[in-house]
Amino acid sequence: MSARGVGLLTYADRLGGDLTGLHGLLDGPLADFSGVHVLPFYTPFDGDDAGFDPIDHTSVDPRLGTWTDVAAIASGREVVADIIVNHVSSSSAEFLDWCARGEASPYDGMFLTLDTVLPDGADEASLTAFYRPRPGLPLTPVAVAGRRRIVWTTFEPTQIDLDLHHPAALAYLDRVVAALVSGGVHVVRLDAVGYAIKTPGSASFMTAATLEYVAALTARLRAAGLRVLVEVHAHHSLQQQIAPLVDLVYDFALPPLLLHGLGTGDVEPLLRWLEIRPENAITVLDTHDGIGVIDAGPAADRPGLIDHEQMRGIFERAARATAGHSAIASVVPQWAELPHQINTTFPSVLDDDAAYLLCRAVQLFLPGEPQIYYVGLLDGRDDVERFRATGVGREVNRHRYEPAEVREALARPVPQAILGLVRLRRDHPAFAGRFSWTRTGPAALRLTWADDDGAARLDLDADLGGASFAIRSTRGGASAVATTALELATIA
Amino acid sequence: MSARGVGLLTYADRLGGDLTGLHGLLDGPLADFSGVHVLPFYTPFDGDDAGFDPIDHTSVDPRLGTWTDVAAIASGREVVADIIVNHVSSSSAEFLDWCARGEASPYDGMFLTLDTVLPDGADEASLTAFYRPRPGLPLTPVAVAGRRRIVWTTFEPTQIDLDLHHPAALAYLDRVVAALVSGGVHVVRLDAVGYAIKTPGSASFMTAATLEYVAALTARLRAAGLRVLVEVHAHHSLQQQIAPLVDLVYDFALPPLLLHGLGTGDVEPLLRWLEIRPENAITVLDTHDGIGVIDAGPAADRPGLIDHEQMRGIFERAARATAGHSAIASVVPQWAELPHQINTTFPSVLDDDAAYLLCRAVQLFLPGEPQIYYVGLLDGRDDVERFRATGVGREVNRHRYEPAEVREALARPVPQAILGLVRLRRDHPAFAGRFSWTRTGPAALRLTWADDDGAARLDLDADLGGASFAIRSTRGGASAVATTALELATIA
């Protein structure tokens, strides 16, 4: 397993300018990474939802490069790419053709409408039952061949939900998959698939019907030679439920549990999670979507790893650490009291190098496949200006780096320490061995990987008086210890 | 009838600063006006919809003054005030109480919800049948005593539609009426009443049920001593239909017919309108809502005074006259291809003093009760900066004047000419006599008021080579002619 090493999560344009620029970084200063998740590079990569609303999901945006450029990156490392399953752009050729020709269009039936989702009519109960990631209702009026219709739009009004059981939608997804395979992509991430299947009378989020669909889609994708990663932000039990059906899920509970532990000294919830977390997980601290908090919290019908008040504490400490702007940037979904995510960078939310490196160390010491977001790698702070200019909260955590900025950032101690951890995880044979953990104090634990020839050990203490960590690496007869950023940078 | 003279349409704050300031202007430089329509001065006067979304419709915003100030203005002239019939603010005490207490609230049932409007369930056909002044659907999710509900919001999500047949809504409107009567208001304007009654399966705009409601409400308001003015932007036949039921309607067809005539030299549509227009009408060129164009155009099932292409011509000429920004500022309602209104000032849309004064002269020579919008009176041009700052298209036509600006504007020839016309209309006894009109050339007409002692006559020519007008006033033995702004200023 350790052969996989650590992956990078990034936009092509915001880190490298384009695919060629990104490739240069991955072959150069970022060569320690064993894989890369390139966020949507389809046409266009810079729409309303930062690439998650492609007009042509089968093409690489020519401003970024070509499928040959993607394949070139993929020839040296594992490439993860997104499939947007739930919806298509209202500017896609398929949707425009349906709007123009209606029933005469080959895409008639491919899109969900109010009448197809709720064939017996909608009322307040059925409409409000849907689990919603955004405020408002998922309904958007459009004119289709001169008739007034209402299409179903779970996310933005420009993102039209697909009827995934319809042959035209299946054929569409097959075209997308064929394009990804042609670009050498190894892993596909199913974006927001939890919302994909609508079941009247239910919340239509991660229902039995959703799981059934995910299993069927996974079989189809595996047949094309792809590994399948499912993105669901939800109660931790749903990750446990879905993990056996697919190749990979995300461990989205880890970051809020670390923030809770460091903010309160209470590591019990983290310990509970270590006992039950799925191990076929991409571990993350941060992603392009900000820091999920709901993932460790309660659902309506069952307790979470942390409770509502503890979630509130995480948001409040985040607001203090960011001078209030994380509270402004984060969106409260419908019917919720708290945001689902903190829109801030992970370094900003902690505002403490030692605590930040402690979190990265935990991430890289847990079983699974670690992935580091480019802003977190570069120790990036909130891009408040970008948020102000766009009005999109998530943009605080999506800085666009110029080449000189990347060079300067990588030369600093925290990114160097993170790269040291990346190398340790990639190169130390013990990470292919046995994992164990034990509690060593009120807020202290030890995570250990061992094989017959050596061990890699992380000791950490989330004591409120000051968080600390120590990493000890033994291999053959030699051993090394790191308790600071500078030591981490050279431990491997 | 001429005793009524001419009315002014204005915001208290944007012309006079507050009610006292407005009173000073009406007793001073604007003393030629015989009445004033003060746009909503309720609490607050500066909400999302510029006063049409009061939180407390029964109180005068303390920043503007008190009911005593309103009564002081009303003691010297006729005062028109708005009643917002269709909806209440989501921040009103009534709505907040319902949200908090649900069925235990005395206001339970006062607000329309999806289930009360469409009790048999909603589908694409029933929801899209509604005539909509805005894009999107009229549905807004809210939490009511912990239950998820969907309220009906014809205008903005913060404007909750009333169930006008419910006793709590009736009692609410009675409270509003009592407050207006206490302030000495003479005329009430029913804002957007065309949307007030919802009839499933119909467009629910100005239906038979709406007319029935308007008639009943008018009886109720007349019993309180009020005259009733109904605001409906719609096909001209609807004005004809509603005029007999109430005291006053608006002649919203006149401005687009004048713009069409001056822009094309074709006065036929204006002549047709002169034959059939209701005479119990407030005549306008401009209002706070911009220049209605739909009012002269066709409906789905019957021709208009002008056709769709002629409407498009008006919008295109307006865009040229305003360097394109009227096209940007004007909102296209749902399912429509063109905006309903041009968001620009009337002087800006013509950009020609003679043509502008010709239009004012026609307005003041037609039977009815003329009303002049403060921006038009002051020859105001588009406030593009205000539009940019607020993002609200209508704000181009809602400039906020400082006292010095008012003085300077009133000293200029065009406002002085308009005041001359106002005095002529108010003082010349012929305007209480017989009205007649005749065509005098391909694009020329003559409008004449006469009594036994004299006459007031307007000759106009909309010739494309250059619009011109001549006003001749005879009275006893004396006579005067005006063909320029300077002559108009002193004709009375």
Side-chain angles (χ1 to χ4, degrees), chain A residues 278-299:
Chain A
E279 298 202 346
N280 59 330
I282 301 254
T283 57
V284 294
L285 293 183
D286 45 0
T287 73
H288 58 295
D289 281 343
I291 308 164
V293 174
I294 193 180
D295 308 86

Side-chain angles (χ1 to χ4, degrees), chain B residues 304-380:
Chain B
L305 299 162
I306 54 177
D307 65 24
H308 211 255
E309 278 314 297
Q310 292 168 324
M311 288 171 69
R312 192 183 298 279
I314 294 175
F315 284 106
E316 287 174 357
R317 287 189 300 276
R320 278 201 296 277
T322 62
H325 73 250
S326 72
I328 302 163
S330 305
V331 176
V332 180
Q334 189 154 45
W335 313 120
E337 283 180 49
L338 295 172
H340 281 186
Q341 301 162 335
I342 313 173
N343 282 333
T344 181
T345 76
F346 210 88
S348 291
V349 81
L350 288 169
D351 204 19
D352 178 320
D353 289 352
Y356 177 43
L357 289 175
L358 181 155
C359 291
R360 282 286 168 215
V362 174
Q363 181 200 359
L364 268 70
F365 265 76
L366 286 186
E369 304 188 13
Q371 189 180 73
I372 298 179
Y373 185 53
Y374 75 110
V375 176
L377 170 68
L378 299 176
D379 197 24

Side-chain angles (χ1 to χ4, degrees), chain A residues 65-91:
Chain A
T66 65
W67 282 117
T68 307
D69 298 322
V70 176
I73 293 174
S75 71
R77 59 196 61 75
E78 187 175 73
V79 165
V80 187
D82 290 273
I83 294 191
I84 295 103
V85 171
N86 182 70
H87 51 264
V88 298
S89 166
S90 59
S91 302

Side-chain angles (χ1 to χ4, degrees), chain A residues 113 115 122 124 141 148-149 334, chain B residues 113 115 122 124 128 141 149 334:
Chain A
T113 73
D115 289 354
E124 293 175 39
R148 300 174 181 188
R149 302 297 303 269
Q334 189 154 43
Chain B
T113 72
D115 289 353
E124 292 175 40
T128 60
R149 302 296 304 267
Q334 189 154 45

Side-chain angles (χ1 to χ4, degrees), chain A residues 113-116 118 120-125 127-130 136-137 139-143 147-150 334-335, chain B residues 113-116 118 120-125 127-130 136-137 139-143 147-150 334-335:
Chain A
T113 73
L114 176 60
D115 289 354
T116 53
L118 294 170
D120 298 330
D123 59 14
E124 293 175 39
L127 275 175
T128 59
F130 281 85
L137 292 169
L139 305 177
T140 300
V142 292
R147 273 186 64 206
R148 300 174 181 188
R149 302 297 303 269
I150 297 173
Q334 189 154 43
W335 313 120
Chain B
T113 72
L114 176 61
D115 289 353
T116 52
L118 294 170
D120 299 329
D123 58 15
E124 292 175 40
L127 275 175
T128 60
F130 282 84
L137 292 169
L139 305 177
T140 300
V142 292
R147 271 186 65 204
R148 301 174 181 187
R149 302 296 304 267
I150 297 173
Q334 189 154 45
W335 313 120

Side-chain angles (χ1 to χ4, degrees), chain B residues 66 124 144 229 268 300 377 481:
Chain B
T66 65
E124 292 175 40
V144 177
L229 162 63
E268 295 286 349
L377 170 68
V481 177

